Amino acid sequence: MQKFIQTIECSVRYVKLQPDGRTLDAREVWLVEARSYGEAQNRLGLALSKYAQDGADGLFVQQMKSVYYAEHLTDEEAAKQRYWRVRVKLTDRNPDTGKESSVTQQWLVRADTMGRATKLATETMGDSCEMVAVTELKYNGYIER
């Protein structure tokens, strides 16, 4: 049984302090590894408190939803923080009956470009995998466990 990594997609709004002292009304989407919405909100508040004008108290989480990824892949040379959802189809053949079965998984890949994300996923896939789709995700960041 494949163990999926539970991540929670959080849409947040807060007053963000700029390096020059100005403030900006920020609306961002973050991905947080957490077991519950409460844990995700706490971890997000801690991570963003240094950027928020009033600390974690000025942070308003507008929406949360669970997203499950089977793999998290990162291009170590990635200069930009761009995220891609790669849908992969895994095919398996039962040796006794000869029947094929397939399942589709989502992988989260961090890479500069779609080409680099595709290359990283292709290098990770085995012979029984095929890539179905690659989609860019608009995440501002990822908070790991």
Side-chain angles (χ1 to χ4, degrees):
M1 181 72 155
Q2 173 73 33
K3 181 183 178 202
F4 289 91
I5 303 161
Q6 182 176 2
T7 51
I8 298 175
E9 186 178 282
C10 304
S11 299
V12 297
R13 183 174 54 96
Y14 64 102
V15 177
K16 186 175 188 175
L17 284 174
Q18 299 296 316
D20 61 4
R22 294 183 301 133
T23 59
L24 172 73
D25 186 25
R27 287 176 171 76
E28 299 176 345
V29 180
W30 285 74
L31 199 59
V32 182
E33 277 186 30
R35 291 188 181 106
S36 67
Y37 288 163
E39 180 186 352
Q41 189 166 359
N42 289 340
R43 297 186 70 230
L44 188 62
L46 288 173
L48 295 180
S49 64
K50 59 185 171 187
Y51 304 112
Q53 182 178 16
D54 301 318
D57 296 335
L59 182 73
F60 178 68
V61 179
Q62 294 180 305
Q63 181 180 4
M64 298 175 104
K65 69 178 180 180
S66 293
V67 183
Y68 295 92
Y69 293 104
E71 294 282 341
H72 288 182
L73 307 174
T74 302
D75 181 1
E76 298 300 329
E77 300 171 11
K80 292 182 182 176
Q81 197 166 326
R82 292 175 70 183
Y83 295 90
W84 307 87
R85 176 179 38 233
V86 178
R87 291 184 194 263
V88 177
K89 181 178 169 185
L90 304 167
T91 306
D92 191 24
R93 182 181 297 267
N94 185 327
D96 297 332
T97 63
K99 288 181 84 176
E100 277 191 1
S101 62
S102 62
V103 64
T104 303
Q105 294 181 344
Q106 294 187 112
W107 293 1
L108 180 68
V109 180
R110 188 179 87 114
D112 286 342
T113 63
M114 181 184 285
R116 303 249 322 161
T118 302
K119 181 181 176 191
L120 186 59
T122 303
E123 290 171 354
T124 305
M125 289 190 295
D127 293 338
S128 60
C129 294
E130 74 176 91
M131 199 172 319
V132 178
V134 180
T135 309
E136 183 174 10
L137 301 169
K138 300 294 183 185
Y139 295 139
N140 292 82
Y142 180 76
I143 301 172
E144 292 183 65
R145 200 162 258 280

